[in-house]
Each structure stands twice: as C-alpha cells, then as structure tokens.
C-alpha cells in the first residue's frame, strides 16, 4: 500500500503548500469575485501567477528536503570514513578533543568529575551529551554533532525567511497605510488588519530560494562538515547562537520572545565564551531605533525598554544558573578549567594565531601588562566599532555578528580550525547582501583564504608528524594568514550592500 501512503502524504502537504501561495490565491479570488459576470480569461494573469507559485512551492519543499537528506548522508559517510582512517593512518581523523570529552563522560558515569581528565576544559554539559559514547558506541557524539551541524543549516533558512517576511510586512504596512488614507476601501482595511495580525506572510519564491541557497552554503561546506564529523562540539554553541538570533528577530516582538532569546544566548556563552562579544549588538538591535548621537547611545543603554530587560534577564538567568549549578557540583576547578583558563590560555606548540611565535619564545615568562593590552585592545576596538556600525539595526544584526566573530578569531591569542565555524555559521545570513560583489571577488576571497590556510598546514604537519623544526615557517605563514583574514574582512565590509535588507521587489 505504498501508493496509498504517498497519496496521503501529498494530501497532508497540500494545505501547507496552499498557505505558501496565500497572497497569489487571494489576488485570484479577489479578481473572480469582483464581478459576478466575470468574462473568460479576465483573471488569467492572476491564475497563472497562483499556479506558478503553487508549482514552485512544491518543488521548493521537495528540493530542500532532498538536500537535507544528502547532507546527512555525506556526514554519515565521513564519520565511517574517519573510523577507517583512524585505524590505518598515523594522521588521525578524529579530533583529539573528542577523545578528551569521551574520557570526561566516562568519569561522569563513574560519578566523578569530568575535570579528572587532564586537559578537559569544556562545560560538563558536553560530557553529559556524549555519555552514549561510553554506553552505546564511541562515534555517537560525532553523529550528534552532525545533527547540530544540520540544524544550523535549517536555522539559517528560518532566520532569512523571517527577515524577508519582516521586511515585506513592514513595506506593506506603509503602503497600505497610504492607500487606506486615500481610499477607505473595505478590502484595503481588511488586508491591513490581516498584515498587522499575521507574521506568516507568504514570500515570493525567489526569496525562499535565496534563503535555501544560503543554507546550502553551510550544509555543503567541506570545512564545516569535516570539523563536525571529526567530533568537535563547537556546532552546539553555534546552533544556540542562531536559535537565539531566530527568536530575537521574530516579528511578534513579545517579552517572552526576547526572554527566550536571552536564555539561549546565556546558554551559548556557557558552552563557549565567544558569544559574550555579541551581547551589546543583541541589546542595541532590540531597541531598533535610530542612534546617532552619544546621548542616544547612553539613553539606549541606561534606559532599557521591556524587550531589552527581558533579553538581559534571560541571558543572566541561564548563564548564572548553569554556572552556579556546576560550581556546586565541581567547585572552583570547573570555573577555572571551563572559563578562566581560556582567558589566559597559551598554545606553545603551533596554531594559526599571529601571536603564536611570541608565546612560544616567551613560554617560560609571564606576559607583561603591556603585552596583554596590545593583544586584546585591537580586537576590542574593532568589536565596538562593528557593533555600533552594524549591530544597532535588526536588518544588519546577522552581518554584525559575523564580523565580530571574524575579528575575535583573527586576533585571538590562540586560533585553531574549529574556531572558524564561529563565523562561518553566521556568514550565510549575509550572502544575499553580496549580490553586487562580482564573480572575480566571490572566487578570489575563498581561494585566497584556503591557500593561506593550506600554506600554514604544511609546516605544521612537518613539525607535528615529522619532527622538523619549522617554527619560524609556521610563524611566517601565521602572519600571511592573518593578513589574508584582514583583507577578507575588508572586502566583505566594502561589498556589503546594506540597502538590500530593505528591499522586497
């Protein structure tokens, strides 16, 4: 009875597909009901548009689902491939941190602290998530992180659709307000009320398609796929950041919505410290009013509205609750290993950071106050500038978060490849704004970035696996990689089309 099952599934999907074409359907219905003696083919244009939207909605739904299945299949293959490579090659596919977290989970099962495992420097929640690594199979965590990786792609689509829908509602509100003032037509007044009370407005198929293409930018990114299937858990914090952004940008703008966004933001900070750099941008975007003078900014910060209070309350509550709970369980060791350590961390072996060689040469000395200031001050200034430029508007908040994360990674004293997912998960939200970049630049930027990264990996491999003294070459490549990052950010900022956020054509 497979045919019956498929038929039932199509019938269940029909109302959903029809709802996506509500605007075109309403236009067609209005046309045919305007005149009881409607002539043949008078509403042909409206009908063709409704039919086109309906067909495109069907193909769109099927296409995105198939891409999700393909993305999941690729990640499953990579997990099993990693098992084979680990058994045959000296170069291990599985991330060393994955083994550390698994060992931490084993300690938790023994009713002990995960911090008993040397170098376990994560939230205990991560060890709890991968408990099945010990109970069921050692690769369970890789499949779990891959699901979070897929969730990021879905969230990218949802956020962009919500942004498009919000822009469409805003524009239609203004147009209908003008039309209603000049023409007290009952249909216009009814339509205005529908828009004011409905945040699920149908979008033209091209915008749905753009949202999906942006999601594919993440789902088929080979770097992010490999990082997740190697067993890195940074996709958990990235998905929490995107979930928080999704709730913050919803069109209802309720107290509960902002409180939920704050809870998720606080939880993401608990998992990883980097989202703390997003807090000011979240806070200012919640106000969503023009800020031009210093007085405006001070008023926005010191005199919060109800939504800002909800955001702050949710963030502080989730962050304080999780911190206090695990401090109660594991004491100061939890606080030091999961939080404080990352503020003073050094990596004297090798990493992408511009400051790597300085840390290597000064590994036996404590950094001076001047060194600490010169290390963190540049990124703090850039984060503040980017927040004030792009973080004060809901329409540009996604790009603000990407640019902030990019700066934090580029200027961080320790940079490893898994940090790249912090900004790569946010970049697809702004892909639509680079329509005018041109093909040459669009190809040049990723090629330059990957070549600079590959140039660093070669001497790092010779040091790690061959024992060659390539520290100076690693440092030179770190400098090259740093400047390639600076050039990348400069080109993206220069080609970012802010006005596109306000267009629904």
């Amino acid at each position: 009875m497979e045919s019956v099952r498929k038929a039932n599934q199509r019938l269940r999907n029909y109302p959903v597909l029809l709802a996506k074409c509500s605007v075109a359907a309403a236009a067609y219905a209005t046309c045919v009901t305007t005149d009881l003696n409607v002539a043949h083919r008078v509403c042909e244009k409206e009908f063709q548009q409704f039919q086109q939207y309906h067909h495109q909605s069907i193909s769109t739904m099927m296409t995105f689902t198939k891409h999700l299945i393909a993305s999941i299949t690729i990640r499953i293959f990579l997990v099993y491939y990693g098992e084979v490579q680990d058994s045959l090659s000296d170069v291990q596919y599985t991330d060393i941190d994955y083994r550390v977290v698994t060992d931490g989970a084993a300690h938790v099962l023994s009713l002990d602290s995960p911090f008993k495992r040397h170098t376990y420097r994560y939230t205990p929640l991560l060890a709890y998530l991968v408990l099945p690594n010990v109970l069921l199979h050692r690769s369970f965590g890789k499949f779990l992180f891959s699901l979070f990786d897929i969730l990021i792609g879905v969230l990218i689509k949802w956020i962009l659709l919500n942004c498009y829908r919000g822009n469409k509602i805003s524009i239609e509100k203004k147009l209908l307000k003008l039309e209603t003032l000049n023409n007290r037509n009952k249909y216009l007044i009814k339509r205005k009320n529908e828009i004011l009370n409905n945040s699920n407005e149908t979008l033209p198929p091209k915008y749905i398609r753009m949202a999906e293409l942006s999601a594919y930018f993440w789902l088929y990114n080979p770097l992010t796929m490999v990082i997740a299937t190697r067993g890195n858990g940074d996709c958990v914090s990235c998905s929490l950041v995107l979930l928080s952004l999704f709730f913050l940008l919803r069109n209802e703008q309720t107290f509960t919505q902002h409180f939920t966004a704050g809870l998720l933001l606080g939880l993401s900070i608990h998992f990883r410290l980097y989202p703390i750099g997003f807090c000011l941008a979240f806070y200012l975007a919640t106000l969503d009013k023009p800020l031009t003078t210093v007085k405006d900014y001070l008023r926005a910060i010191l005199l919060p509205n109800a939504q800002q209070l909800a955001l702050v309350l949710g963030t502080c509550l989730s962050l304080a609750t999780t911190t206090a709970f695990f401090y109660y369980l594991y004491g100061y060791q939890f606080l030091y290993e999961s939080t404080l350590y990352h503020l003073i961390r050094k990596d004297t072996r090798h990493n992408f950071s511009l400051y790597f060689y300085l840390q290597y040469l000064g590994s036996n000395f404590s950094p001076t106050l001047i060194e600490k200031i010169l290390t963190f001050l540049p990124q703090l200034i850039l984060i503040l500038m980017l927040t004030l430029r792009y973080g004060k508007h809901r329409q540009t908040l996604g790009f603000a978060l990407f640019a902030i994360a990019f700066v934090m990674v580029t200027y961080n004293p320790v940079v490893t490849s898994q940090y790249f997912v912090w900004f790569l998960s946010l970049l697809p939200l702004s892909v639509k704004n680079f329509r005018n970049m041109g093909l040459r630049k669009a190809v040049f930027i990723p090629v330059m970035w990957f070549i600079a990264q590959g140039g660093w990996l070669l001497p790092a491999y010779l040091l790690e696996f061959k024992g060659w003294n390539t520290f100076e070459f690693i440092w030179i490549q770190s400098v090259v990689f740093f400047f390639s990052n600076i050039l990348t950010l400069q080109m993206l900022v220069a080609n970012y089309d802010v006005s596109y956020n306000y267009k629904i054509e």
Side-chain angles (χ1 to χ4, degrees):
M1 305 299 290
E2 181 67 16
S3 59
V4 175
R5 186 190 66 78
K6 290 182 178 180
N8 289 334
Q9 182 63 41
R10 286 195 295 270
L11 288 173
R12 282 193 294 268
N13 288 337
Y14 190 77
V16 178
L17 297 171
L18 192 60
K20 291 185 175 182
C21 310
S22 60
V23 173
Y28 177 59
T30 302
C31 179
V32 297
T33 56
T34 301
D35 187 356
L36 295 178
N37 298 317
V38 60
H40 181 56
R41 290 188 179 277
V42 168
C43 301
E44 179 71 15
K45 179 181 177 182
E46 288 78 3
F47 176 75
Q48 292 295 337
Q49 189 176 28
F50 168 61
Q51 187 179 46
Q52 178 188 1
Y53 274 35
H54 186 254
H55 289 325
Q56 288 180 340
S57 296
I58 295 174
S59 62
T60 298
M61 175 178 283
M62 295 176 61
T63 301
F64 189 68
T65 302
K66 289 180 179 178
H67 280 288
L68 287 179
I69 295 173
S71 301
I72 293 172
T73 304
I74 294 172
R75 284 162 173 79
I76 292 174
F77 167 78
L78 287 174
V79 171
Y80 283 108
Y81 165 79
E83 294 292 313
V84 174
Q85 179 174 325
D86 288 347
S87 62
L88 299 177
S89 174
D90 293 333
V91 181
Q92 296 288 286
Y93 184 85
T94 300
D95 195 329
I96 184 63
D97 292 336
Y98 183 74
R99 305 184 193 278
V100 172
V101 174
T102 301
D103 291 343
H107 284 290
V108 170
L109 278 179
S110 303
L111 302 180
D112 209 340
S113 169
F115 300 102
K116 293 289 184 181
R117 172 50 162 100
H118 180 59
T119 71
Y120 186 94
R121 298 187 174 100
Y122 320 95
T123 169
L125 278 175
L126 200 57
Y128 295 170
L129 283 176
V130 299
L131 284 175
N133 282 13
V134 183
L135 297 172
L136 300 176
H137 192 275
R138 63 179 181 272
S139 294
F140 174 87
K142 295 180 182 179
F143 290 109
L144 179 65
F145 297 150
S146 296
L147 285 178
F148 276 102
D149 205 43
I150 296 295
L151 175 62
I152 290 173
V154 176
L155 287 170
I156 289 169
K157 179 186 174 183
W158 288 356
I159 292 171
L160 287 174
L161 289 179
N162 190 64
C163 291
Y164 284 134
R165 193 173 292 117
N167 293 342
K168 184 173 184 291
I169 293 172
S170 177
I171 292 170
E172 288 201 25
K173 280 181 186 177
K174 295 175 182 177
L175 292 176
L176 286 173
K177 183 177 180 180
L178 293 173
E179 292 176 0
T180 307
L181 289 174
N182 298 321
N183 182 6
R184 294 291 177 179
N185 185 292
K186 290 184 178 179
Y187 168 73
L188 288 175
I189 296 174
K190 181 181 178 182
R191 177 70 182 133
K192 177 184 177 183
N193 292 331
E194 287 176 355
I195 292 174
L196 289 172
N197 298 319
N198 183 14
S199 62
N200 194 29
E201 283 294 301
T202 304
L203 289 168
K206 66 177 181 179
Y207 293 102
I208 298 176
R209 183 63 177 166
M210 187 66 214
E212 292 179 348
L213 288 173
S214 300
Y216 301 153
F217 183 84
W218 170 269
L219 292 173
Y220 291 110
N221 189 323
L223 180 62
T224 58
M225 284 193 289
V226 168
I227 289 174
T229 54
R230 290 184 68 213
N232 181 266
D234 278 271
C235 51
V236 179
S237 58
C238 291
S239 61
L240 288 171
V241 169
L242 287 171
L243 267 174
S244 179
L245 186 63
F246 171 73
F247 278 98
L248 186 79
L249 296 180
R250 292 185 67 179
N251 298 312
E252 291 83 355
Q253 294 295 295
T254 63
F255 182 91
T256 304
Q257 165 194 333
H258 287 84
F259 181 74
T260 305
L263 289 175
L264 292 166
L265 179 61
L267 190 58
S268 68
I269 296 172
H270 174 75
F271 263 89
R272 276 292 197 180
L273 287 178
Y274 80 92
I276 201 169
F278 303 155
C279 289
L280 181 58
F282 268 72
Y283 186 81
L284 294 178
T286 304
L287 182 65
D288 199 30
K289 288 183 179 180
L291 301 174
T292 54
T293 65
V294 176
K295 187 176 180 180
D296 292 336
Y297 283 103
L298 290 176
R299 186 182 294 112
I301 294 173
L302 300 177
L303 299 174
N305 58 26
Q307 288 80 9
Q308 288 175 314
L309 288 175
L311 178 69
V312 173
L313 180 62
T315 304
C316 294
L317 181 63
S318 62
L319 183 58
T321 301
T322 51
T323 303
F325 177 73
F326 288 117
Y327 185 83
Y328 172 76
L329 290 180
Y330 304 118
Y332 177 76
Q333 187 180 20
F334 148 72
L335 195 61
Y336 176 80
E337 297 289 359
S338 66
T339 305
L340 300 179
Y341 169 81
H342 296 283
L343 300 177
I344 59 173
R345 178 185 176 186
K346 286 185 177 182
D347 188 342
T348 56
R349 289 183 60 81
H350 58 279
N351 67 87
F352 290 99
S353 175
L354 176 68
Y355 307 106
F356 147 71
Y357 200 52
L358 175 66
Q359 294 176 358
Y360 170 71
L361 295 177
S363 57
N364 295 325
F365 305 95
S366 298
T368 64
L369 180 61
I370 297 297
E371 289 177 352
K372 292 181 179 179
I373 292 175
L374 293 178
T375 299
F376 287 101
L377 187 60
Q379 62 175 304
L380 290 177
I381 294 174
L382 287 172
I383 289 172
L384 182 61
M385 292 176 62
L386 291 167
T387 299
L388 297 181
R389 176 67 179 89
Y390 297 106
K392 59 185 179 181
H393 300 296
R394 288 162 53 85
Q395 291 84 354
T396 57
L397 182 58
F399 184 71
L401 301 185
F402 159 75
I404 290 169
F406 197 95
V407 166
M408 292 177 73
V409 172
T410 300
Y411 284 86
N412 206 45
V414 178
V415 180
T416 57
S417 58
Q418 57 260 36
Y419 291 5
F420 300 152
V421 300
W422 299 355
F423 59 80
L424 288 175
S425 61
L426 296 163
L427 179 59
L429 299 178
S430 302
V431 168
K432 65 185 188 303
N433 299 92
F434 300 119
R435 294 191 307 172
N436 300 323
M437 177 181 286
L439 182 61
R440 287 186 178 181
K441 290 182 181 178
V443 173
F444 171 76
I445 291 175
V447 168
M448 173 191 66
W449 191 75
F450 277 108
I451 288 177
Q453 188 178 159
W456 180 93
L457 289 171
L458 176 59
Y461 168 80
L462 296 175
L463 171 67
E464 183 76 15
F465 296 98
K466 301 298 183 181
W468 294 13
N469 184 359
T470 58
F471 282 102
E472 292 182 356
F473 294 102
I474 293 175
W475 174 68
I476 292 172
Q477 288 302 136
S478 296
V479 174
V480 172
F481 186 61
F482 174 81
F483 281 105
S484 73
N485 282 336
I486 297 300
L487 180 59
T488 297
L489 183 60
Q490 184 274 328
M491 294 180 70
L492 292 177
V493 170
N495 289 276
Y496 180 74
D497 183 8
V498 178
S499 64
Y500 185 72
N501 292 298
Y502 303 89
K503 296 178 182 177
I504 289 288
E505 299 165 356

